[in-house]
Amino acid sequence: MFVQESSSHTKRSLMLLTHKENIVKFSWFLPSLLSLLVLGSTVKANGALANWHFDSNRNHLDFTTDENVQPKVQLLNNPTRLVIDLSGVTLGYPQTSQRVGPVIKDIRIEQFNAETTRMVVTLAPGYTFDLAQVQLQEQSPNHWSVQLPKPIRLTATQPQYLEVTPSISPRVNDNSTLFAGVVPMHSPMKALEPQIKALMSRYSFLKTGMFFLDLDTGDYLDIGGDRVFPAASTIKLPILIAFFQDLDAGKVTLQENLTMRRDLVTNGSGSMQYERVGKKYTALETITKMITISDNTATNMIIDRLGGAAKLNQRFHSWGLKDTVIRHLLADLRGTNTTSSQDMARVLALVVNNKLVSPQSREQALDILRHTTIHTLLPAGLGKGAVIANKTGDIGFLIGDAGFITMPNGKRYLASIFVTRPYKDSRGRDFIRQVSQLVYNYLNQTNPVAAVNSPNSVTR
C-alpha cells in the first residue's frame, strides 16, 4: 500500500513535468477544439436562439443569447473548471464533450439543469486560470464575448477558490449564504425531502441527522444536520486533516517514526493492537492505517503526536466546528466524542476548497480517504463510476459516514449522515444506503424533480 502511495506521488510529479512541457501547446489546443464544438452551434431557449463562435486567432469566444440572459462565469475546482452558465437557455441536443490533452483535459457543453446551459473548460490537476484575467464583456444586450487566458501552474501555497468575481457576474443573490465560508448555499432540495422523510417514517425506530450539499449548485438537504451524535471513527477525518495541516507547516513529516507505546494501544478496529509494544511506524503508515482500516491504536498515536486532544479540539473550533470534540482516546465505545453531520461536511468543504491544507496535502489526504475498506454505508448507494473519499464510524448503537463524492458526469457533492439504532441492527445500514441512493439519483438527473418521480429512484 505504501509503495503505491510513493509511486502515485512520483507519477504526479512526472505528470506535472509533462504538463509544463505541454503548456505551450495551449494556444492551439483550446482554439481548435472550441472551434469544433461551438462554431455555428445553436440552442433554443424558450423560442430564442443562442449562437457561439470561437476566434482561433485570439482565443476569443462570442455567443448571443436572449436579452434577459445574464452569463455567469465561475472557477470551480477538483478538477479545475472554468464554467460559463447561461440561465434560461435550453440545449437542443445531448451533451457534447471531447478529450483535449494533458493540460486542457476536456471541454463540454451540457444541459446543467432544466433552465441552464453550461459550457465547461476542464484543466488538469496542478493548473488553474487566473479568474481576474477572464474577460466577460457585454457587446450588446444579447451579444457576449469571453477572452480566455492561458492556464497557470499552481504552487503549493496557491489556493484554488470556488468563487464568482463580481465584475464577471454582476447579478448576485443577496439572500445567499456561504457554507463554511466557501460554498454558496442556494436552495433546499425540497423535491427530494418527501421521499427522505417517507423513508425516515419507515425507519421510525432510528434517530438520524444528515446533511448533503451540491458543490456546484449550492443546493442542499439538511435534516437534523446540526444534531449532535457520538462521532465514533468519523472523528478520524478531522484528525487526518489536522495532521496534514501540521505537515504543511513543517511540524511533522511523513517519514518520521512514531513509537507504539503501551498507553496508546487499544482494542476495537485495527490490527496494530496485535503488534509488539515499542514497534515503530512511519507517520505515513500510521495515518494510512488510521483511515483505511480505521485503526484505533494508530489514531491514538496521531492524537499524541499532534499534541493531544485539547490542542486538537482548539484546532477544530478554529475551523468553525461547533460540535466536534475529542473527550477520550479511542476506542471510545461509549460515544463520548461527538460531532454532527454539518461539522463533518464543513471539514470536507474547507479541504476541497484548500482552506485548511495545501493542494498537494489535499490530494494526498483525499487519496487516503478513497481507500477506506468499509463500503456498506454511503458508497453502497452510489452509481457505477462514482468516486467517494469518506470515513465511516461504528460503535454498535451508532453508525455514520461522511464523504466527498465525484459523479461520472463531473458533479461533486458532500454527504454526511449519522444514525443511532438498536445495537448492531442492520436496518440502520440499510437506511443510510437508501438515503445515499435517493440523493445520488436526484443529483444524477438533469431535472431533479423528474428524478424524484422516476421509478429508478424507488429503493427497496
Side-chain angles (χ1 to χ4, degrees):
M1 179 181 298
F2 310 113
V3 174
Q4 290 176 351
E5 290 285 345
S6 177
S7 175
S8 175
H9 178 73
T10 303
K11 289 180 180 178
R12 286 198 296 269
S13 299
L14 291 174
M15 287 176 65
L16 289 177
L17 290 173
T18 303
H19 292 164
K20 185 174 181 181
E21 294 170 357
N22 283 280
I23 194 171
V24 295
K25 301 179 182 179
F26 171 76
S27 60
W28 65 269
F29 267 135
L30 182 59
S32 59
L33 184 61
L34 276 179
S35 297
L36 289 173
L37 291 180
V38 304
L39 183 58
S41 297
T42 60
V43 215
K44 291 186 177 180
N46 300 322
L49 294 176
N51 300 302
W52 291 275
H53 174 75
F54 189 78
D55 186 337
S56 60
N57 294 320
R58 297 185 296 144
N59 282 359
H60 195 81
L61 178 64
D62 284 284
F63 53 90
T64 59
T65 69
D66 269 356
E67 293 188 10
N68 62 347
V69 173
Q70 172 66 53
K72 182 171 70 173
V73 178
Q74 303 179 66
L75 187 63
L76 309 181
N77 66 350
N78 295 326
T80 304
R81 290 156 292 155
L82 182 73
V83 169
I84 305 170
D85 282 335
L86 306 177
S87 180
V89 175
T90 304
L91 196 61
Y93 48 84
Q95 172 181 310
T96 301
S97 63
Q98 184 173 337
R99 177 78 180 177
V100 183
V103 178
I104 306 299
K105 293 183 64 178
D106 61 68
I107 301 175
R108 67 182 183 271
I109 304 173
E110 63 186 14
Q111 190 69 49
F112 179 60
N113 56 39
E115 298 179 350
T116 305
T117 290
R118 169 168 282 191
M119 305 178 68
V120 184
V121 180
T122 304
L123 295 180
Y127 290 87
T128 188
F129 282 124
D130 182 352
L131 193 57
Q133 294 183 17
V134 179
Q135 300 176 20
L136 175 67
Q137 296 181 341
E138 182 178 7
Q139 307 296 340
S140 68
N142 67 339
H143 179 197
W144 298 84
S145 66
V146 180
Q147 181 64 54
L148 299 171
K150 291 183 178 181
I152 57 176
R153 287 283 300 273
L154 279 168
T155 63
T157 58
Q158 179 183 0
Q160 290 176 282
Y161 296 102
L162 173 64
E163 63 177 325
V164 180
T165 300
S167 61
I168 292 179
S169 180
R171 295 186 181 182
V172 177
N173 182 359
D174 294 333
N175 296 321
S176 65
T177 57
L178 292 176
F179 179 71
V182 291
V183 183
M185 295 182 69
H186 185 245
S187 301
M189 299 178 189
K190 290 186 177 180
L192 180 61
E193 286 183 8
Q195 276 200 318
I196 297 293
K197 291 183 177 179
L199 188 65
M200 291 172 63
S201 296
R202 286 169 48 196
Y203 290 86
S204 59
F205 56 93
L206 303 175
K207 178 182 177 182
T208 185
M210 65 186 76
F211 185 82
F212 293 80
L213 177 62
D214 186 329
L215 291 173
D216 296 332
T217 67
D219 291 346
Y220 60 93
L221 176 70
D222 185 357
I223 300 178
D226 59 352
R227 187 173 293 160
V228 180
F229 288 88
S233 286
T234 65
I235 198 70
K236 298 166 185 175
L237 171 57
I239 293 173
L240 174 73
I241 303 309
F243 175 88
F244 275 101
Q245 205 172 55
D246 279 3
L247 178 68
D248 289 336
K251 297 179 181 179
V252 298
T253 68
L254 292 174
Q255 298 307 319
E256 67 177 85
N257 286 322
L258 304 181
T259 302
M260 190 175 72
R261 301 199 314 263
R262 187 176 300 277
D263 61 312
L264 300 176
V265 177
T266 187
N267 59 358
S269 58
S271 59
M272 291 173 67
Q273 60 184 302
Y274 305 113
E275 301 294 334
R276 62 176 177 80
V277 172
K279 185 173 181 178
K280 296 184 183 297
Y281 296 86
T282 67
L284 177 59
E285 288 176 317
T286 309
I287 60 171
T288 301
K289 288 179 179 292
M290 178 181 75
I291 297 298
T292 58
I293 62 173
S294 201
D295 197 297
N296 289 334
T297 298
T299 306
N300 291 343
M301 292 168 64
I302 295 297
I303 291 174
D304 179 74
R305 178 62 182 85
L306 298 180
K311 286 189 176 180
L312 282 170
N313 290 336
Q314 292 175 1
R315 185 111 50 113
F316 300 160
H317 183 74
S318 73
W319 298 348
L321 307 187
K322 299 177 181 179
D323 308 308
T324 303
V325 181
I326 303 173
R327 294 181 174 88
H328 291 95
L329 291 177
L330 277 69
D332 179 38
L333 299 180
R334 292 186 298 135
T336 62
N337 301 333
T338 58
T339 190
S340 65
S341 296
Q342 284 191 7
D343 269 11
M344 288 290 108
R346 177 180 291 270
V347 173
L348 290 166
L350 291 170
V351 170
V352 168
N353 288 281
N354 295 316
K355 294 299 183 180
L356 295 181
V357 296
S358 68
Q360 182 177 355
S361 288
R362 176 201 66 208
E363 290 307 313
Q364 192 158 12
L366 290 176
D367 187 57
I368 292 173
L369 290 165
R370 291 186 188 107
H371 287 83
T372 53
T373 56
I374 304 299
H375 304 138
T376 56
L377 300 179
L378 286 173
L382 304 181
K384 183 179 180 180
V387 177
I388 183 170
N390 70 306
K391 185 68 197 79
T392 60
D394 183 351
I395 49 175
F397 69 91
L398 175 286
I399 53 175
D401 200 354
F404 164 55
I405 297 101
T406 304
M407 301 169 67
N409 63 6
K411 182 178 286 294
R412 308 159 312 130
Y413 66 97
L414 305 178
S416 182
I417 184 168
F418 289 90
V419 170
T420 56
R421 60 178 182 172
Y423 192 76
K424 291 188 178 297
D425 193 318
S426 64
R427 291 173 295 178
R429 178 194 62 205
D430 295 338
F431 173 79
I432 292 180
R433 173 185 58 80
Q434 291 178 61
V435 169
S436 178
Q437 183 180 357
L438 286 171
V439 175
Y440 183 90
N441 289 343
Y442 177 86
L443 294 175
N444 197 37
Q445 301 295 320
T446 300
N447 186 342
V449 177
V452 172
N453 295 324
S454 168
N456 294 330
S457 68
V458 178
T459 57
R460 302 293 181 185

